[in-house]
Amino acid sequence: MSNTHADTVLYVRETMLPQQTPPSTSVGAVGWARENLFSGWFNTVLTLASLVFIYFLLAGLLPWLTAPTWGAASLTECREILAAEGIGGHGGACWGVISERWKQLLFGFYPAEEYWRPILALILLFVAISPVLFADFVSSKLLWFTGLFPFIAVWLLWGGSLWYPAMALAGFVIGAAALSFGGKVGGAIIGAISGVLVAIVWWLFIASDLASLLSSVVALELPAVQSREFGGFLLAILLGVTAILGSLPLGIILALGRRSDLILVKSLCVGFIEFIRGVPLITLLFVASTLLNIFLPPGTNFDIILRVMIMMTLFAAAYMAEVIRGGLAALPTGQYEAADALGLDYWKAQRLIIMPQALKISIPGIVSTFIGVFKDTTLVSIISLFDPLGLTNAIRADGAWTGIYWELFIFVGVVFFIFCFSMSRYSMYLERKLQTGHH
C-alpha cells in the first residue's frame, strides 16, 4: 500500500507554475490574421487574391486622386499641369474645380459677405440639439434654447426684421397659454381647440401688423436674402434638418392615430399614410412647386423653400409612422396591461411606458428614415432648386469646367457620407446606451 501511495504522490504537483505569455503567433495582429485571414488554404487563397485586387485598385486610383491640380483655374490648365508632370491629360483628377467652387457647393448663391450667418446657424444647431442627443453630458437647462433655435435660424438665414420670427414665436406661447387655460375650464378637447384657434388668429390678423409697428420703432434687422439664393449643402441641410425634426413628432402622432379605436381618426391617418407612401416624392415636389399655387388666393407669396419643407416633412412623417407602428406592435401585450393595472390614462401610459420602449425598438428604422430623407434632398434639383447635385450641372455649364464630372461628384458624395455616417454612428451609440439588444 505504501509503495502505491508513494507512486501516486509522485504525480501530484505541490506548487503552481508561473503564468506564461501566450505564443506571439496566437495574439495581437499576427494571431488575428492567422485566425481570420489564413485559417485554411481556401481562406489563404482568398486573402492573397483580395490583396492583389486591392493593390491594382490603389495603383490606379491613388495617382489619379493625388494629382497636383489644386491651383488650376480651368480644365485646360489642369491638363497642362498633368502633361508637364508626365501623367497625361486624363491621368489625374482636376481638383482645381473644387478649390475654386467649394464655397458655391456649400453655400449656393448666398451672398459671400453674409457667409457668417449660415455658419453661425449651423453652430447654433449643434448647440440646440446637444441636450436632446447627449442628455448625459449636456444640461437639460439648454432645452429652452432648443425651442428658440428655429426662430433664430430663420432670422439668421433669411434676414429681415427680428420682430417677425419673434411674433411667430409669440403665437406658440399664446396658443400654449390658451390651451392650458381652456383645458382647466372645459377639458382637454376644449383646451386643444382654443389653443389652436387663438394661435391661428394671432398669426393671421395680429402678428404681421404688430411686427411692422415694432420694426418702425426699434429696427433689429439683417440684410434680407431671397430663397432663390439658397443652394448647395446649405439648402440640403436646411431641408434635411427641418424634415427630420418635423417628421418624428408627426410620425408618432400618425402611428398612434393608426392604432386608435376611433374610426374617424384611424381612417384619416391610414388614408394619409397610404397616400403619401403610394406617391413618389418627385410628384409631391412638383405639387409643392407648381400646383399648390393654384389652390392659394391670388397674390399669395408662399415661399418655395417653405413649400418644399412642408412636403418633405409630410413625406418623411408617413414612413416614420410605419417605423414607429412596428415598434408599437413589437411590444408584448403585458406592457399595455401593466399600464392599465397602474391606473394610468391613455396619454400617461403612452408617455411613461409604451412610447419610450417602442422608440427604443425602432431606433434603427428611425435613423434609416432620417438618412433616406437627408439624401432625398437632392431631388429638389428637379424643381429648379440648386442643391449640391444641381450646382454640379451649373458649374459644368461654365466653359472653363465643361467636361468635369467625377471630381464634383466625389466631393458631394464625401460630404453626404460624413453626415449620413455620423447619423449611423450616433444610432449605434444610442442603442448601446439604451441597451436595446436582447441579453
Side-chain angles (χ1 to χ4, degrees), residues 187-243:
I189 296 177
I190 300 297
I193 293 173
S194 60
V196 171
L197 288 178
V198 167
I200 290 174
V201 169
W202 172 269
W203 289 325
L204 291 181
F205 302 107
I206 302 174
S208 181
D209 294 336
L210 184 56
S212 300
L213 177 62
L214 292 171
S215 297
S216 62
V217 177
V218 182
L220 299 173
E221 294 186 345
L222 287 172
V225 178
Q226 301 300 316
S227 290
R228 63 176 178 270
E229 296 179 88
F230 285 63
F233 281 99
L234 167 61
L235 180 62
I237 294 172
L238 178 63
L239 295 176
V241 168
T242 304

Short mmCIF file of all heavy atoms in Angstrom, two decimals, residues 187-243:
data_model
loop_
_atom_site.label_atom_id
_atom_site.label_comp_id
_atom_site.label_asym_id
_atom_site.label_seq_id
_atom_site.Cartn_x
_atom_site.Cartn_y
_atom_site.Cartn_z
N GLY A 187 -61.81 71.03 -20.25
CA GLY A 187 -61.28 69.72 -20.58
C GLY A 187 -60.23 69.78 -21.68
O GLY A 187 -59.98 70.83 -22.29
N ALA A 188 -59.66 68.61 -21.99
CA ALA A 188 -58.54 68.54 -22.92
C ALA A 188 -58.93 68.96 -24.33
O ALA A 188 -58.20 69.68 -25.01
CB ALA A 188 -57.96 67.12 -22.93
N ILE A 189 -60.11 68.49 -24.81
CA ILE A 189 -60.51 68.79 -26.18
C ILE A 189 -60.76 70.28 -26.36
O ILE A 189 -60.30 70.91 -27.32
CB ILE A 189 -61.77 67.97 -26.56
CG1 ILE A 189 -61.43 66.47 -26.53
CG2 ILE A 189 -62.28 68.38 -27.93
CD1 ILE A 189 -62.60 65.57 -26.82
N ILE A 190 -61.49 70.89 -25.40
CA ILE A 190 -61.75 72.33 -25.46
C ILE A 190 -60.44 73.10 -25.40
O ILE A 190 -60.23 74.08 -26.13
CB ILE A 190 -62.68 72.77 -24.31
CG1 ILE A 190 -64.02 72.04 -24.40
CG2 ILE A 190 -62.88 74.28 -24.32
CD1 ILE A 190 -64.80 72.35 -25.66
N GLY A 191 -59.52 72.66 -24.55
CA GLY A 191 -58.23 73.32 -24.45
C GLY A 191 -57.45 73.28 -25.75
O GLY A 191 -56.88 74.28 -26.18
N ALA A 192 -57.43 72.09 -26.40
CA ALA A 192 -56.71 71.96 -27.66
C ALA A 192 -57.31 72.84 -28.74
O ALA A 192 -56.60 73.54 -29.48
CB ALA A 192 -56.72 70.49 -28.11
N ILE A 193 -58.65 72.85 -28.85
CA ILE A 193 -59.31 73.67 -29.87
C ILE A 193 -59.05 75.15 -29.63
O ILE A 193 -58.72 75.91 -30.55
CB ILE A 193 -60.83 73.38 -29.88
CG1 ILE A 193 -61.07 71.94 -30.35
CG2 ILE A 193 -61.56 74.37 -30.78
CD1 ILE A 193 -62.52 71.49 -30.25
N SER A 194 -59.18 75.59 -28.37
CA SER A 194 -58.98 77.01 -28.06
C SER A 194 -57.54 77.42 -28.32
O SER A 194 -57.26 78.51 -28.84
CB SER A 194 -59.37 77.29 -26.61
OG SER A 194 -58.58 76.53 -25.71
N GLY A 195 -56.56 76.55 -27.97
CA GLY A 195 -55.16 76.87 -28.21
C GLY A 195 -54.85 77.05 -29.68
O GLY A 195 -54.18 78.00 -30.08
N VAL A 196 -55.36 76.13 -30.51
CA VAL A 196 -55.12 76.22 -31.96
C VAL A 196 -55.78 77.46 -32.54
O VAL A 196 -55.17 78.20 -33.34
CB VAL A 196 -55.62 74.93 -32.65
CG1 VAL A 196 -55.59 75.10 -34.16
CG2 VAL A 196 -54.79 73.73 -32.23
N LEU A 197 -57.02 77.72 -32.17
CA LEU A 197 -57.75 78.87 -32.72
C LEU A 197 -57.08 80.19 -32.34
O LEU A 197 -56.93 81.09 -33.18
CB LEU A 197 -59.21 78.86 -32.25
CG LEU A 197 -60.10 77.78 -32.86
CD1 LEU A 197 -61.50 77.84 -32.27
CD2 LEU A 197 -60.16 77.94 -34.38
N VAL A 198 -56.70 80.32 -31.08
CA VAL A 198 -56.05 81.56 -30.64
C VAL A 198 -54.74 81.79 -31.39
O VAL A 198 -54.45 82.91 -31.83
CB VAL A 198 -55.82 81.52 -29.11
CG1 VAL A 198 -54.88 82.65 -28.68
CG2 VAL A 198 -57.13 81.63 -28.36
N ALA A 199 -53.94 80.72 -31.57
CA ALA A 199 -52.67 80.85 -32.29
C ALA A 199 -52.90 81.26 -33.74
O ALA A 199 -52.21 82.13 -34.27
CB ALA A 199 -51.89 79.54 -32.21
N ILE A 200 -53.90 80.63 -34.40
CA ILE A 200 -54.18 80.96 -35.81
C ILE A 200 -54.64 82.40 -35.95
O ILE A 200 -54.20 83.14 -36.85
CB ILE A 200 -55.22 79.97 -36.38
CG1 ILE A 200 -54.60 78.57 -36.53
CG2 ILE A 200 -55.73 80.46 -37.74
CD1 ILE A 200 -55.58 77.50 -36.96
N VAL A 201 -55.52 82.83 -35.06
CA VAL A 201 -55.99 84.23 -35.11
C VAL A 201 -54.82 85.19 -34.92
O VAL A 201 -54.70 86.21 -35.61
CB VAL A 201 -57.08 84.47 -34.03
CG1 VAL A 201 -57.38 85.95 -33.88
CG2 VAL A 201 -58.35 83.71 -34.39
N TRP A 202 -53.93 84.88 -33.99
CA TRP A 202 -52.77 85.73 -33.75
C TRP A 202 -51.89 85.84 -35.00
O TRP A 202 -51.49 86.93 -35.41
CB TRP A 202 -51.96 85.16 -32.59
CG TRP A 202 -50.64 85.85 -32.37
CD1 TRP A 202 -49.44 85.50 -32.91
CD2 TRP A 202 -50.39 87.02 -31.59
NE1 TRP A 202 -48.44 86.35 -32.52
CE2 TRP A 202 -49.00 87.31 -31.69
CE3 TRP A 202 -51.19 87.83 -30.80
CZ2 TRP A 202 -48.41 88.39 -31.04
CZ3 TRP A 202 -50.59 88.91 -30.15
CH2 TRP A 202 -49.23 89.18 -30.27
N TRP A 203 -51.59 84.69 -35.63
CA TRP A 203 -50.70 84.70 -36.79
C TRP A 203 -51.33 85.39 -38.00
O TRP A 203 -50.66 86.10 -38.73
CB TRP A 203 -50.31 83.27 -37.16
CG TRP A 203 -49.37 82.64 -36.19
CD1 TRP A 203 -48.37 83.26 -35.49
CD2 TRP A 203 -49.34 81.27 -35.78
NE1 TRP A 203 -47.71 82.37 -34.68
CE2 TRP A 203 -48.29 81.13 -34.84
CE3 TRP A 203 -50.09 80.14 -36.11
CZ2 TRP A 203 -47.98 79.92 -34.23
CZ3 TRP A 203 -49.78 78.94 -35.52
CH2 TRP A 203 -48.74 78.82 -34.59
N LEU A 204 -52.64 85.19 -38.20
CA LEU A 204 -53.29 85.73 -39.40
C LEU A 204 -53.61 87.21 -39.29
O LEU A 204 -53.50 87.94 -40.29
CB LEU A 204 -54.57 84.94 -39.70
CG LEU A 204 -54.39 83.49 -40.16
CD1 LEU A 204 -55.75 82.86 -40.43
CD2 LEU A 204 -53.53 83.43 -41.42
N PHE A 205 -54.00 87.68 -38.12
CA PHE A 205 -54.57 89.02 -38.03
C PHE A 205 -53.76 90.00 -37.17
O PHE A 205 -53.98 91.21 -37.26
CB PHE A 205 -56.00 88.95 -37.47
CG PHE A 205 -56.91 88.09 -38.30
CD1 PHE A 205 -57.32 86.85 -37.85
CD2 PHE A 205 -57.34 88.51 -39.54
CE1 PHE A 205 -58.16 86.05 -38.60
CE2 PHE A 205 -58.18 87.72 -40.31
CZ PHE A 205 -58.59 86.49 -39.85
N ILE A 206 -52.86 89.50 -36.34
CA ILE A 206 -52.19 90.40 -35.39
C ILE A 206 -50.68 90.44 -35.60
O ILE A 206 -50.07 91.52 -35.59
CB ILE A 206 -52.50 89.98 -33.93
CG1 ILE A 206 -54.02 89.99 -33.70
CG2 ILE A 206 -51.80 90.89 -32.93
CD1 ILE A 206 -54.44 89.44 -32.35
N ALA A 207 -50.05 89.28 -35.79
CA ALA A 207 -48.59 89.17 -35.73
C ALA A 207 -47.90 90.09 -36.73
O ALA A 207 -46.98 90.84 -36.37
CB ALA A 207 -48.17 87.72 -35.97
N SER A 208 -48.34 90.08 -38.00
CA SER A 208 -47.66 90.85 -39.04
C SER A 208 -47.72 92.35 -38.78
O SER A 208 -46.71 93.06 -38.86
CB SER A 208 -48.26 90.51 -40.41
OG SER A 208 -47.60 91.23 -41.43
N ASP A 209 -48.91 92.85 -38.46
CA ASP A 209 -49.06 94.29 -38.20
C ASP A 209 -48.27 94.72 -36.98
O ASP A 209 -47.63 95.77 -36.98
CB ASP A 209 -50.54 94.64 -38.02
CG ASP A 209 -51.34 94.43 -39.30
OD1 ASP A 209 -50.72 94.47 -40.38
OD2 ASP A 209 -52.57 94.21 -39.21
N LEU A 210 -48.31 93.90 -35.93
CA LEU A 210 -47.57 94.25 -34.72
C LEU A 210 -46.06 94.23 -34.97
O LEU A 210 -45.32 95.09 -34.47
CB LEU A 210 -47.94 93.28 -33.60
CG LEU A 210 -47.32 93.55 -32.22
CD1 LEU A 210 -47.65 94.96 -31.75
CD2 LEU A 210 -47.80 92.52 -31.21
N ALA A 211 -45.58 93.25 -35.78
CA ALA A 211 -44.16 93.18 -36.11
C ALA A 211 -43.74 94.41 -36.91
O ALA A 211 -42.65 94.98 -36.68
CB ALA A 211 -43.86 91.91 -36.89
N SER A 212 -44.58 94.84 -37.86
CA SER A 212 -44.27 96.04 -38.64
C SER A 212 -44.19 97.27 -37.74
O SER A 212 -43.31 98.13 -37.90
CB SER A 212 -45.33 96.25 -39.73
OG SER A 212 -45.38 95.16 -40.60
N LEU A 213 -45.13 97.37 -36.79
CA LEU A 213 -45.13 98.51 -35.87
C LEU A 213 -43.86 98.52 -35.02
O LEU A 213 -43.20 99.56 -34.87
CB LEU A 213 -46.37 98.43 -34.98
CG LEU A 213 -46.49 99.52 -33.89
CD1 LEU A 213 -46.59 100.89 -34.52
CD2 LEU A 213 -47.71 99.24 -33.00
N LEU A 214 -43.50 97.37 -34.48
CA LEU A 214 -42.30 97.30 -33.64
C LEU A 214 -41.03 97.56 -34.46
O LEU A 214 -40.07 98.15 -33.95
CB LEU A 214 -42.22 95.93 -32.97
CG LEU A 214 -43.29 95.64 -31.91
CD1 LEU A 214 -43.24 94.19 -31.47
CD2 LEU A 214 -43.09 96.56 -30.69
N SER A 215 -41.02 97.12 -35.74
CA SER A 215 -39.86 97.36 -36.60
C SER A 215 -39.66 98.85 -36.84
O SER A 215 -38.51 99.32 -36.95
CB SER A 215 -40.03 96.63 -37.94
OG SER A 215 -40.09 95.24 -37.75
N SER A 216 -40.77 99.59 -36.96
CA SER A 216 -40.66 101.03 -37.18
C SER A 216 -40.15 101.75 -35.93
O SER A 216 -39.56 102.83 -36.03
CB SER A 216 -42.02 101.60 -37.60
OG SER A 216 -42.98 101.41 -36.56
N VAL A 217 -40.36 101.14 -34.77
CA VAL A 217 -39.90 101.76 -33.51
C VAL A 217 -38.45 101.37 -33.23
O VAL A 217 -37.59 102.21 -32.99
CB VAL A 217 -40.81 101.33 -32.34
CG1 VAL A 217 -40.29 101.91 -31.02
CG2 VAL A 217 -42.24 101.77 -32.59
N VAL A 218 -38.17 100.06 -33.23
CA VAL A 218 -36.82 99.55 -32.99
C VAL A 218 -36.46 98.60 -34.13
O VAL A 218 -37.01 97.50 -34.24
CB VAL A 218 -36.73 98.79 -31.65
CG1 VAL A 218 -35.31 98.32 -31.41
CG2 VAL A 218 -37.19 99.67 -30.50
N ALA A 219 -35.54 99.01 -35.00
CA ALA A 219 -35.19 98.21 -36.18
C ALA A 219 -34.08 97.23 -35.84
O ALA A 219 -32.91 97.60 -35.75
CB ALA A 219 -34.76 99.12 -37.32
N LEU A 220 -34.45 95.98 -35.63
CA LEU A 220 -33.48 94.91 -35.42
C LEU A 220 -33.46 94.07 -36.69
O LEU A 220 -34.22 93.12 -36.84
CB LEU A 220 -33.87 94.05 -34.21
CG LEU A 220 -33.95 94.78 -32.86
CD1 LEU A 220 -34.52 93.86 -31.80
CD2 LEU A 220 -32.57 95.28 -32.45
N GLU A 221 -32.59 94.41 -37.63
CA GLU A 221 -32.66 93.82 -38.97
C GLU A 221 -31.31 93.29 -39.42
O GLU A 221 -30.26 93.79 -39.01
CB GLU A 221 -33.17 94.84 -39.98
CG GLU A 221 -34.60 95.28 -39.78
CD GLU A 221 -35.10 96.17 -40.90
OE1 GLU A 221 -34.26 96.68 -41.69
OE2 GLU A 221 -36.32 96.37 -40.98
N LEU A 222 -31.39 92.27 -40.27
CA LEU A 222 -30.25 91.80 -41.05
C LEU A 222 -30.60 91.96 -42.52
O LEU A 222 -31.79 91.96 -42.88
CB LEU A 222 -29.97 90.32 -40.76
CG LEU A 222 -29.34 89.96 -39.41
CD1 LEU A 222 -29.31 88.46 -39.23
CD2 LEU A 222 -27.93 90.54 -39.31
N PRO A 223 -29.60 92.11 -43.41
CA PRO A 223 -29.91 92.19 -44.84
C PRO A 223 -30.70 90.97 -45.30
O PRO A 223 -30.36 89.84 -44.96
CB PRO A 223 -28.51 92.23 -45.49
CG PRO A 223 -27.61 92.78 -44.43
CD PRO A 223 -28.17 92.27 -43.13
N ALA A 224 -31.78 91.22 -46.03
CA ALA A 224 -32.65 90.12 -46.47
C ALA A 224 -31.97 89.31 -47.57
O ALA A 224 -31.28 89.86 -48.45
CB ALA A 224 -33.98 90.67 -46.97
N VAL A 225 -32.14 87.99 -47.52
CA VAL A 225 -31.62 87.07 -48.55
C VAL A 225 -32.82 86.31 -49.12
O VAL A 225 -33.62 85.73 -48.38
CB VAL A 225 -30.60 86.08 -47.95
CG1 VAL A 225 -30.11 85.11 -49.02
CG2 VAL A 225 -29.43 86.82 -47.33
N GLN A 226 -32.95 86.31 -50.44
CA GLN A 226 -34.08 85.64 -51.09
C GLN A 226 -33.86 84.13 -51.14
O GLN A 226 -32.71 83.65 -51.19
CB GLN A 226 -34.26 86.18 -52.52
CG GLN A 226 -34.51 87.67 -52.59
CD GLN A 226 -35.77 88.08 -51.83
OE1 GLN A 226 -36.81 87.43 -51.94
NE2 GLN A 226 -35.67 89.16 -51.07
N SER A 227 -34.96 83.40 -51.16
CA SER A 227 -34.86 81.93 -51.16
C SER A 227 -34.16 81.40 -52.40
O SER A 227 -33.51 80.35 -52.36
CB SER A 227 -36.26 81.32 -51.07
OG SER A 227 -36.80 81.53 -49.79
N ARG A 228 -34.26 82.13 -53.53
CA ARG A 228 -33.61 81.64 -54.75
C ARG A 228 -32.09 81.69 -54.66
O ARG A 228 -31.40 81.11 -55.50
CB ARG A 228 -34.09 82.45 -55.96
CG ARG A 228 -33.72 83.92 -55.91
CD ARG A 228 -34.13 84.65 -57.18
NE ARG A 228 -33.84 86.07 -57.12
CZ ARG A 228 -34.66 86.98 -56.66
NH1 ARG A 228 -35.86 86.63 -56.21
NH2 ARG A 228 -34.32 88.26 -56.64
N GLU A 229 -31.55 82.40 -53.65
CA GLU A 229 -30.11 82.46 -53.46
C GLU A 229 -29.58 81.31 -52.60
O GLU A 229 -28.38 81.15 -52.47
CB GLU A 229 -29.73 83.81 -52.83
CG GLU A 229 -30.06 85.00 -53.72
CD GLU A 229 -29.70 86.33 -53.06
OE1 GLU A 229 -28.54 86.76 -53.22
OE2 GLU A 229 -30.58 86.92 -52.40
N PHE A 230 -30.47 80.56 -51.99
CA PHE A 230 -30.05 79.38 -51.22
C PHE A 230 -29.65 78.28 -52.19
O PHE A 230 -30.24 78.12 -53.25
CB PHE A 230 -31.19 78.90 -50.34
CG PHE A 230 -31.44 79.74 -49.12
CD1 PHE A 230 -31.84 81.06 -49.24
CD2 PHE A 230 -31.28 79.23 -47.84
CE1 PHE A 230 -32.08 81.84 -48.13
CE2 PHE A 230 -31.51 80.00 -46.72
CZ PHE A 230 -31.91 81.31 -46.86
N GLY A 231 -28.68 77.47 -51.77
CA GLY A 231 -28.27 76.37 -52.63
C GLY A 231 -27.19 75.55 -51.97
O GLY A 231 -26.76 75.81 -50.84
N GLY A 232 -26.72 74.53 -52.67
CA GLY A 232 -25.65 73.69 -52.18
C GLY A 232 -26.02 72.94 -50.91
O GLY A 232 -27.20 72.62 -50.66
N PHE A 233 -25.02 72.67 -50.09
CA PHE A 233 -25.27 71.93 -48.86
C PHE A 233 -26.03 72.76 -47.83
O PHE A 233 -26.64 72.19 -46.92
CB PHE A 233 -23.95 71.42 -48.28
CG PHE A 233 -23.44 70.20 -48.98
CD1 PHE A 233 -22.47 70.29 -49.95
CD2 PHE A 233 -23.97 68.94 -48.69
CE1 PHE A 233 -22.01 69.16 -50.61
CE2 PHE A 233 -23.53 67.81 -49.34
CZ PHE A 233 -22.55 67.92 -50.31
N LEU A 234 -25.99 74.08 -47.96
CA LEU A 234 -26.83 74.92 -47.11
C LEU A 234 -28.30 74.55 -47.30
O LEU A 234 -29.04 74.36 -46.32
CB LEU A 234 -26.60 76.39 -47.45
CG LEU A 234 -27.61 77.40 -46.87
CD1 LEU A 234 -27.61 77.36 -45.35
CD2 LEU A 234 -27.30 78.80 -47.36
N LEU A 235 -28.73 74.41 -48.55
CA LEU A 235 -30.11 74.04 -48.83
C LEU A 235 -30.40 72.61 -48.41
O LEU A 235 -31.45 72.31 -47.82
CB LEU A 235 -30.40 74.22 -50.33
CG LEU A 235 -31.80 73.87 -50.81
CD1 LEU A 235 -32.84 74.76 -50.15
CD2 LEU A 235 -31.90 73.99 -52.33
N ALA A 236 -29.46 71.69 -48.67
CA ALA A 236 -29.67 70.28 -48.32
C ALA A 236 -29.81 70.11 -46.81
O ALA A 236 -30.69 69.39 -46.33
CB ALA A 236 -28.52 69.43 -48.86
N ILE A 237 -28.94 70.77 -46.05
CA ILE A 237 -29.00 70.66 -44.58
C ILE A 237 -30.28 71.30 -44.05
O ILE A 237 -30.93 70.77 -43.15
CB ILE A 237 -27.75 71.29 -43.95
CG1 ILE A 237 -26.51 70.47 -44.33
CG2 ILE A 237 -27.88 71.37 -42.44
CD1 ILE A 237 -25.20 71.12 -43.92
N LEU A 238 -30.64 72.46 -44.62
CA LEU A 238 -31.85 73.15 -44.19
C LEU A 238 -33.09 72.27 -44.39
O LEU A 238 -33.91 72.09 -43.48
CB LEU A 238 -32.00 74.46 -44.96
CG LEU A 238 -33.23 75.31 -44.67
CD1 LEU A 238 -33.24 75.79 -43.23
CD2 LEU A 238 -33.28 76.51 -45.62
N LEU A 239 -33.22 71.70 -45.59
CA LEU A 239 -34.38 70.84 -45.87
C LEU A 239 -34.31 69.55 -45.05
O LEU A 239 -35.33 69.10 -44.51
CB LEU A 239 -34.43 70.51 -47.36
CG LEU A 239 -34.67 71.68 -48.32
CD1 LEU A 239 -34.58 71.20 -49.77
CD2 LEU A 239 -36.02 72.33 -48.07
N GLY A 240 -33.13 68.95 -44.97
CA GLY A 240 -33.00 67.69 -44.26
C GLY A 240 -33.28 67.82 -42.77
O GLY A 240 -34.02 67.02 -42.20
N VAL A 241 -32.69 68.84 -42.13
CA VAL A 241 -32.90 69.02 -40.69
C VAL A 241 -34.36 69.32 -40.39
O VAL A 241 -34.95 68.79 -39.44
CB VAL A 241 -31.98 70.15 -40.16
CG1 VAL A 241 -32.38 70.55 -38.75
CG2 VAL A 241 -30.53 69.70 -40.20
N THR A 242 -34.98 70.18 -41.21
CA THR A 242 -36.39 70.51 -40.99
C THR A 242 -37.27 69.27 -41.12
O THR A 242 -38.15 69.01 -40.28
CB THR A 242 -36.86 71.58 -41.99
OG1 THR A 242 -36.01 72.73 -41.88
CG2 THR A 242 -38.29 71.99 -41.72
N ALA A 243 -37.06 68.47 -42.18
CA ALA A 243 -37.87 67.27 -42.39
C ALA A 243 -37.63 66.25 -41.27
O ALA A 243 -38.57 65.61 -40.81
CB ALA A 243 -37.55 66.66 -43.75
#
